[in-house]
Amino acid sequence: MPVSPSSSAQAAREAVARRLRDLRKEAGLTVVELADRCGWHHAKTSRIENAVTGPTAKDIRLWCTATKAEGQAEGLIVQSVNAESMYREWRHQVQGGLKQLQESSAQIFRQTKLFRVYSSTLVPGLLQTEGYATGILHTAAAFRDLPVDDSVEAARTRVERSRVLHEPGRRFVLLIEEAVLYCQMADADAMAAQLGYLLTAGALPTVSLGIIPRATSQRGQWPRETFHVYDDRLVSVELVSARVRITQPSEIALYLKAFEQLRNMAVYGAEARQLILAAIESLR
């Protein structure tokens, strides 16, 4: 089963820290001695070795010079950059507003041919209507205490980005838990419009929409964190505090394995439409 994304990112940081610690020990240096050679306080060495502080490229070069391992510096720098890029705090991503955050995903959308999305909580962004998206993004803006609530503009950008559904040469396999149909993130009219759009979008020839019924017995997978798989090269997971980007092939393989097991529990076509219609009826 997939490991926690935050644990995955931390493990990547710890791998860099562990290698730096090994270099120090192989060189026969104490924490204080390495700090003296690098020109910083010994507490910094401890923070780096315990993966509390991520080292900069300059830190790694100084470390490798101090331990006479200059040839390993560039490889460790690349590894460290990859580790840090896995974990991006939302407070940095939303500084430019929610609209800009939506636009930041445009490039990966253009590059991807096969989209696989599993959501246990909300209608996937690719299938959101403007009213539903506005409700979600307004809630996000309030939760983040953003100085400017541009949720209306951000929702419009999200819907515009979703036109990729109609571009030739792409496929979309989208899975949601039935509970998603009842998570009311907008008023009744907007929810009805959103659920109605699921009926339309699910009929597109490029879209496979599966719904995992609440009554599914003996599940092979329990509801997971929402995740997006872009081709076979990137998994993006959204947590409360961060967006985690996973590029390690072995971890991507775990998410794909989980996705296939979830996909096999879903219903499609007429059965999926019946679940959506029941959710629409509950709004009355």
Side-chain angles (χ1 to χ4, degrees), residues 13 31 63 75 98-99 127 173 192 231 233 252 260:
R13 292 193 188 110
V31 169
W63 196 296
L98 293 169
K99 181 176 183 291
L127 298 182
V173 185
D231 292 326
R233 53 194 168 83
I252 291 174
E260 285 304 304

Side-chain angles (χ1 to χ4, degrees), residues 9-81:
Q10 182 63 18
R13 292 193 188 110
E14 289 172 356
V16 175
R18 187 163 52 249
R19 183 57 192 145
L20 291 173
R21 182 172 62 248
D22 288 345
L23 289 178
R24 175 182 62 77
K25 290 183 176 180
E26 289 166 7
L29 298 174
T30 68
V31 169
V32 173
E33 287 170 340
L34 183 128
D36 288 343
R37 292 192 182 189
C38 292
W40 60 56
H41 193 275
H42 64 83
K44 178 176 178 177
T45 301
S46 295
R47 289 197 302 271
I48 291 174
E49 289 192 351
N50 288 292
V52 175
T53 299
T56 65
K58 181 180 179 181
D59 292 338
I60 292 174
R61 290 193 179 97
L62 287 170
W63 196 296
C64 288
T65 298
T67 57
K68 296 183 172 25
E70 292 90 339
Q72 297 191 40
E74 295 309 312
L76 279 168
I77 289 170
V78 171
Q79 189 178 352
S80 181
V81 168

Side-chain angles (χ1 to χ4, degrees), residues 33 84 120 122 153 188 270:
E33 287 170 340
E84 293 306 313
S120 58
L122 300 170
E153 294 82 0

